[in-house]
């Protein structure tokens, strides 16, 4: 390879409706169970990758600042191995959502990076292989390659080639709005990889979590196929709260919520008691994501904004999967 070859990809975040929390193989980043998510039309990462023979080392910038993480370095080594090249890369990645707001960017980030690397190196990976590649960066990233509703398959092969996400339904299959209440930042969260390891090794509830999640997958698939928002919301909220019960049972406990998180949950429960269909889901952080029908979004957003400690409310709908674009980050 003599001339630099580059590509730009964009990918958006996704929110799991049935959560991934546990790995069957940490080195290959293989999940214990499947998971189901909705890819959003907002929270976008745009990544340009250029493999350039003139570079003495990888050069990574996030939002314009040097930011190479060991995980990204390992990921670039992996794609070089796949391509059979030793050329270093310049990576420029930008998020269009507020950094430092505690919104996870690894899903959109590694989905965009996987797609850009595939194009820049001419790997020619098919959709399952691309999703499995993104998984090596971050488990949730495997789902952001797909648009709309996607299911991560845990696979059973030791090498992980069958652990990738597949499309369940297009973005317009089930109209919904995802409101993200960004709450006052709590103590720095334990990252997902460390959090999963701790939960698996110390929580007595983990086997029950795995078992109930496997059941939830079938029920969620059915609810999406039936376009049943109420059932999707109910299952998503129940699954998320069970994940947090499992996290709380770890030693030391993983407690991701703050006072504003609890207040936002109570706001949603009060709305529901008053007849508005709205359901919460929470990941490994203090933000509260609320699922509702588009017609109820204004009411729910207003109620969330009025809550104590809510810094901002972001709004998104189901969106397309990762795609290649022209230009640079
Ligand atoms: C709670 O995909 O961030 O958001 O594979 O270790 O990078 P790694 O974990 P990550 O975990 C996401 C956990 C979650 C639930 C989910 O998105 O399914």
């Amino acid at each position: 390879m003599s001339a630099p070859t580059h590509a730009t990809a964009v990918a958006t975040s996704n929110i799991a409706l049935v959560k991934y929390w546990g790995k069957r193989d940490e080195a290959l980043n293989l999940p214990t169970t499947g998971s189901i998510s909705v890819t959003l039309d907002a929270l976008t990462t745009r990544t340009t990758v250029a493999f350039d023979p003139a570079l003495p080392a990888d050069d990574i910038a996030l939002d314009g600042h040097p930011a190479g993480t060991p995980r990204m370095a390992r990921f670039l080594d992996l794609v070089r191995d796949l391509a059979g090249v030793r050329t270093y890369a310049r990576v420029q990645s930008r998020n269009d959502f507020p950094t430092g707001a505690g919104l996870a960017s690894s899903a959109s980030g590694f989905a965009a990076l996987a797609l850009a690397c595939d194009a820049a190196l001419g790997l020619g990976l098919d959709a399952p292989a691309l999703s499995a590649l993104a998984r090596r960066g971050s488990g949730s990233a495997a789902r952001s390659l797909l648009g709309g509703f996607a299911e991560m398959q845990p696979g059973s092969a030791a090498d992980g080639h069958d652990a990738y996400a597949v499309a369940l339904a297009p973005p317009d299959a089930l109209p919904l709005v995802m409101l993200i209440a960004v709450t006052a930042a709590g103590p720095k969260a334990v990252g997902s990889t460390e959090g999963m390891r701790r939960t698996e090794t110390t929580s007595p509830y983990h086997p029950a979590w795995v078992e109930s999640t496997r059941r939830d997958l079938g029920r969620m698939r059915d609810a999406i196929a039936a376009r049943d928002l109420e059932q999707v919301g109910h299952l998503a909220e129940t699954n998320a709260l069970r994940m947090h019960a499992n996290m709380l049972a770890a030693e030391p406990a993983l407690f991701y919520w703050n006072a504003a998180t609890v207040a936002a949950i109570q706001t949603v429960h009060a709305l529901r008691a008053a007849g508005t269909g709205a359901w919460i889901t929470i990941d490994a952080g203090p933000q509260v994501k609320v699922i509702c029908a588009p017609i109820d979004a204004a009411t729910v957003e207003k109620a969330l904004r009025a809550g104590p400690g809510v810094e901002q409310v972001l709004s998104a709908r189901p969106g397309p999967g990762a795609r290649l674009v022209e230009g640079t980050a």
Side-chain angles (χ1 to χ4, degrees), residues 14 16 18-21 23 29 35 71 106 137-141 143 192-193 196 243 247 283-284:
N14 72 77
V18 175
K19 305 291 187 191
Y20 146 54
W21 196 255
K23 302 183 199 252
N29 214 20
S35 53
R71 193 184 278 228
S106 65
S138 194
S140 51
R143 301 183 309 235
S192 296
T193 305
M196 287 186 208
M243 177 179 74
M247 292 162 158
D283 294 298

Side-chain angles (χ1 to χ4, degrees), residues 31 58 85 89 129 219 252 260 309:
D58 287 325
V85 300
R219 296 167 76 196

Side-chain angles (χ1 to χ4, degrees), residues 177-181 267 271 290 292 296-307 310 312-316:
V177 170
M178 186 75 73
L179 294 163
I180 303 172
T267 297
L271 281 168
V290 184
C292 64
D296 293 323
T299 307
V300 177
E301 185 169 346
K302 193 166 165 232
L304 288 171
R305 280 190 197 280
V310 173
Q312 56 180 322
V313 179
L314 307 172
S315 175

Side-chain angles (χ1 to χ4, degrees), residues 130-146:
L130 259 178
S131 173
L133 174 62
R135 185 205 77 230
R136 297 290 294 272
S138 194
S140 51
R143 301 183 309 235
S144 272
L145 263 310
L146 285 308

Side-chain angles (χ1 to χ4, degrees), residues 60-62 65-69 72:
I60 302 170
L62 296 183
H65 305 293
T69 61
M72 283 182 82

